[in-house]
Amino acid sequence: MSSLEAMVRPTLARIVACGDGYAPDGDGYWGSGFFVAPGWLLTCAHVVGEGGAAVMREGGPVGVSWQGGTTTGQVILAKPGHEALRGGRGSWKFPDIALVRVREADDARCVWLSDRAPALHASVSLHGWSLETGDLGVRYGTGQISGVDGKALLLSGALPVGGLSGGPVLDRRSGAVIGMNKGRGEHEGAAVPITALRELFDLAGGDVLHTVVREHDRHHLRRFTESPATAWTTAQTELHRSGVPGVDPALRVRLYGYFAELRPPTGPGPVLDLVGRVKATVTGEDNHPLLLHDPQTWREGAGLLHGLRDRSGSRSSADVELDAVLLYAAHVARRAAGQDARLLRAFAGWITEQAERHAYWPVGEAIRALLTDLAGAPDPAATALGTAGAPDPAATALASVAVPEATAAPATRIDVLVRIGDIQYGDRYPWSVQLLYDGQVVTPVDGDDIGVPLGQLEESVRGALAKALSLGDHDEHLAAVEVFLPRRLFDLPVDEWQLTPPGAADDDSDALDEQSMPIGLRRTVVVRAQHRNTRPPSPEWRRRRRGVARGPLTAVPLRAEAAAEGHVPGAHREGALAVYGRLGGADDACVPVHCGPVGSGDGLEAMGRALLAGHAVAVWRRDAHQPEECAAFHAQAARLLESAGRADGLARHVRELRIRLSDPDTARTQGLKGRIAVLLDPPDRPRHGTEPMHPPALAGPEL
């Protein structure tokens, strides 16, 4: 056992039933846990689930014994929660993770949590308590990560034994805890990746994890500065000197100490935005991650920069990664402008010093440009985290000078693509949700290749859509939703979908909540043509896209017999080729308008011809109505297009119109009609694709 692995022992805890002696001989023993911050430990949800509803739902105590003593703890967050108690052992699905507050363990030693996803084939050690040999004792074994099965890390070698559930899995090369023992199958063990901790952020009260991560990083910085001989960072530094790639642990622990003093990001969006910008600067490529990440903390953003490479091959990946991390730190400091001025001066000064020592010249210049006004004049009263641990509270309290805003580089725009495929398996529609970076780079979020019946689409897509929007929203940018649909589903009311199930919102009917509000009332929601986007853009499509981008927008009836004055009784039905010829000859800035659905009947035929003629924008009414309402609708659509002027202004005006239409009194007073649908389908987007289904998670017994 290495010195680093020996350091795991004081972080281990036994989770037991409360009672006399707290199970010194194993009686009432439930499983293992480990401290991740002073007074906070992680374990498996199924371990604390041994306490039943009294623990999982009612907040009853659990027994906790560790090197520092025996006391009680309280389950603060768990996923799955108490609902899993009704299903027996097999219902404890991944992530199977619980956070326990142990208030009398503020002096507990803590593990170092990895800031990145585990690497395949990494050599690992497994730790925890077990009764496997008859006596309750610490158990230890080595193995490797042999694969990933859904949300599970698969382990080979020394497999977890009974009682190890909830104990840590340590990457022996990096010296970081990358997972938690969960169970074993016939030939493989299963672990929960430590990145699953992010899933607890979604629970009620999940923001407490920011406190936990902050205290984790403060703990390790404090130990490194005050007791380096026994600090986790010192052991990691020895590994780094022996050839482990990546940022030096001493630099990293100081950097994360600074991050711990800043306000956390508002969600994944700001972190991903900075990571994308840093990668583009350092590598010269706009290489957003191909796999989905859901970072909730600034430290995870630094972890996403691991393994960057220089395209020229002239510099090592370690040097490139260090440049990227320092530039990322400068962007985070820049974004924190307006927070504690003295802390920011210290942080900016430290980053500048590290850049002068380590950064490649162009990156160093970029860092200095970002931090010039933050660093300011030297301030001897400011406490530097790099030499004295956490900032002096007195210095923090004295800070009153606001740091001026900088002119930041344009943020990466992240929007959301929802794709509904053609019907298959009789009545099922496959779907996928993706992120779209600056209109060009696509990253999958989730999907279902088998699909669901039409009536279940909203419910099925809801979770993935909510997650994607949380990743796309950052700073002042509210992610738009672009929905690829087969033409027969163009009338699908996607703009009325909600991010929470109906009835799940607050009982106060007057309360507004962005999760329960129809998404089209808060953000841009437009339709795109699925089949047209599977092939190269036609010349007509490109030409008309330029026309509507230039403006001014004007209306042209989608069907001649449904003209602006309304449906004309007995009018001659316009044939398909006539529709194509008329719409093909219309001005490039004309927008087809239709008072009726376009997913069936004459509207379906005419919309197909409009797409063939290259129209990138169309407006229609998708709800049932009386024919005499159509004149008012066409007048309403004409005003909408006139107000928008150009295609880039249309989405905002449509959203405002949808808000007015959703209020009966406003709609009646202003003479507004219908449910508005909009095709906004640019030809300069990347072609969309499908993503394979994730395999089912490992189903093995918990330990």
Side-chain angles (χ1 to χ4, degrees):
M1 183 181 297
S2 70
S3 60
L4 183 63
E5 288 157 343
M7 292 179 65
V8 176
R9 286 196 175 220
T11 73
L12 298 177
R14 302 187 300 277
I15 311 297
V16 298
C18 291
D20 295 338
Y22 284 58
D25 300 319
D27 184 30
Y29 174 68
W30 294 348
S32 302
F34 56 101
F35 284 96
V36 295
W40 295 94
L41 68 79
L42 287 182
T43 186
C44 284
H46 80 260
V47 170
V48 291
E50 294 287 337
V55 169
M56 297 293 288
R57 184 174 57 208
E58 300 164 19
V62 298
V64 179
S65 295
W66 80 107
Q67 183 173 283
T70 298
T71 186
T72 57
Q74 182 181 15
V75 178
I76 302 299
L77 299 170
K79 190 173 183 179
H82 64 84
E83 68 278 0
L85 294 170
R86 298 189 293 270
R89 295 176 66 87
S91 63
W92 296 100
K93 306 298 184 183
F94 282 86
D96 196 5
I97 190 170
L99 177 69
V100 180
R101 181 72 167 110
V102 189
R103 297 186 181 279
E104 297 180 30
D106 288 340
D107 58 348
R109 298 277 292 275
C110 306
V111 303
W112 174 267
L113 295 178
S114 176
D115 54 11
R116 60 183 67 111
L120 194 61
H121 307 306
S123 175
V124 298
S125 55
L126 285 56
H127 304 262
W129 290 80
S130 176
L131 283 165
E132 189 74 7
T133 60
D135 296 322
L136 185 60
V138 173
R139 301 290 183 264
Y140 160 84
T142 60
Q144 71 172 15
I145 297 176
S146 58
V148 178
D149 189 359
K151 294 184 177 182
L153 297 179
L154 303 183
L155 306 173
S156 61
L159 303 184
V161 296
L164 245 63
S165 274
V169 177
L170 178 74
D171 185 321
R172 303 178 72 200
R173 191 176 188 215
S174 67
V177 168
I178 59 172
M180 179 170 59
N181 299 311
K182 172 175 168 59
R184 62 183 294 171
E186 184 177 354
H187 302 294
E188 293 176 305
V192 179
I194 204 64
T195 49
L197 193 61
R198 300 167 183 161
E199 295 198 36
L200 298 183
F201 277 97
D202 298 332
L203 303 180
D207 282 349
V208 72
L209 283 168
H210 285 302
T211 298
V212 174
V213 173
R214 180 182 297 118
E215 292 305 315
H216 167 277
D217 289 332
R218 285 172 172 168
H219 166 84
H220 284 287
L221 178 60
R222 184 168 57 250
R223 289 199 64 84
F224 185 56
T225 55
E226 296 176 0
S227 307
T230 60
W232 199 290
T233 305
T234 301
Q236 288 181 312
T237 301
E238 294 173 0
L239 292 174
H240 184 72
R241 288 171 181 162
S242 67
V244 174
V247 175
D248 176 76
L251 184 149
R252 181 181 58 210
V253 77
R254 292 187 173 102
L255 172 62
Y256 290 3
Y258 276 112
F259 285 164
E261 304 306 323
L262 302 177
R263 286 196 292 269
T266 56
V271 181
L272 291 174
D273 172 43
L274 295 189
V275 168
R277 288 203 271 173
V278 167
K279 284 185 174 182
T281 300
V282 173
T283 68
E285 298 178 351
D286 191 13
N287 52 352
H288 293 282
L290 296 178
L291 299 177
L292 178 70
H293 299 284
D294 189 13
Q296 301 286 342
T297 62
W298 295 125
R299 76 193 306 268
E300 290 174 278
L304 292 178
L305 297 168
H306 177 68
L308 293 184
R309 298 186 181 277
D310 180 20
R311 287 186 300 170
S312 68
S314 61
R315 305 178 66 232
S316 70
S317 59
D319 290 339
V320 175
E321 180 181 340
L322 180 56
D323 279 354
V325 168
L326 290 174
L327 181 58
Y328 172 78
H331 275 292
V332 173
R334 175 75 271 155
R335 192 174 288 253
Q339 297 184 37
D340 187 317
R342 294 196 176 194
L343 170 66
L344 288 177
R345 278 199 295 271
F347 190 18
W350 179 82
I351 297 170
T352 302
E353 178 185 356
Q354 300 307 311
E356 290 172 350
R357 290 181 181 179
H358 306 294
Y360 191 49
W361 176 79
V363 176
E365 287 299 304
I367 290 172
R368 278 187 284 275
L370 281 167
L371 299 180
T372 297
D373 59 334
L374 279 185
D379 184 358
T383 301
L385 270 168
T387 56
D392 181 358
T396 300
L398 288 171
S400 58
V401 180
V403 180
E405 291 287 344
T407 302
T412 301
R413 179 185 176 93
I414 306 176
D415 294 314
V416 176
L417 300 182
V418 178
R419 184 183 68 87
I420 310 299
D422 289 312
I423 194 168
Q424 60 186 18
Y425 301 116
D427 66 343
R428 307 179 77 87
Y429 290 89
W431 61 268
S432 69
V433 175
Q434 302 165 313
L435 295 179
L436 182 65
Y437 296 85
D438 283 337
Q440 296 301 320
V441 183
V442 175
T443 295
V445 176
D446 202 354
D448 184 346
D449 287 346
I450 297 176
V452 296
L454 186 61
Q456 298 177 19
L457 269 174
E458 179 181 2
E459 179 183 358
S460 183
V461 174
R462 179 178 287 124
L465 178 58
K467 183 174 185 178
L469 290 173
S470 75
L471 292 166
D473 293 347
H474 62 89
D475 296 335
E476 298 178 2
H477 173 63
L478 203 61
V481 181
E482 302 181 5
V483 189
F484 284 114
L485 292 171
R487 285 197 292 117
R488 290 189 179 277
L489 293 187
F490 268 23
D491 299 318
L492 192 69
V494 180
D495 57 285
E496 296 184 4
W497 285 5
Q498 299 171 208
L499 301 181
T500 55
D506 195 309
D507 291 337
D508 182 0
S509 59
D510 293 330
L512 287 177
D513 178 80
E514 61 269 18
Q515 298 297 305
S516 60
M517 179 187 297
I519 59 174
L521 300 188
R522 184 168 182 246
R523 59 182 78 238
T524 296
V525 180
V526 297
V527 170
R528 294 176 61 183
Q530 175 185 274
H531 292 94
R532 182 162 67 171
N533 280 276
T534 59
R535 56 179 68 99
S538 68
E540 298 98 322
W541 191 9
R542 292 186 183 279
R543 190 186 77 240
R544 292 191 180 280
R545 170 61 176 171
R546 289 195 298 270
V548 294
R550 183 176 59 249
L553 302 181
T554 57
V556 58
L558 183 66
R559 296 199 63 89
E561 69 268 25
E565 59 272 13
H567 290 279
V568 180
H572 175 70
R573 180 183 181 277
E574 189 177 27
L577 286 178
V579 174
Y580 170 73
R582 181 174 53 81
L583 294 179
D587 184 81
D588 288 347
C590 281
V591 175
V593 174
H594 189 58
C595 181
V598 298
S600 60
D602 289 345
L604 174 67
E605 179 186 75
M607 180 58 74
R609 297 306 178 267
L611 295 175
L612 187 62
H615 286 276
V617 179
V619 176
W620 67 96
R621 177 177 180 173
R622 54 173 169 75
D623 60 321
H625 59 279
Q626 298 299 318
E628 56 267 23
E629 296 180 7
C630 284
F633 175 80
H634 276 277
Q636 174 181 294
R639 290 194 300 270
L640 171 70
L641 296 174
E642 182 182 5
S643 299
R646 298 190 301 269
D648 59 2
L650 182 60
R652 177 174 64 85
H653 285 81
V654 168
R655 186 180 67 84
E656 293 172 353
L657 179 57
R658 282 172 173 158
I659 292 173
R660 287 183 284 146
L661 283 165
S662 67
D663 181 73
D665 292 337
T666 302
R668 184 176 58 255
T669 301
Q670 299 183 6
L672 304 177
K673 302 289 183 181
R675 291 287 184 260
I676 305 297
V678 177
L679 175 84
L680 196 58
D681 195 22
D684 55 351
R685 290 286 205 262
R687 298 180 208 170
H688 66 278
T690 61
E691 295 73 56
M693 291 290 292
H694 296 295
L698 179 74
E702 284 85 23
L703 301 174

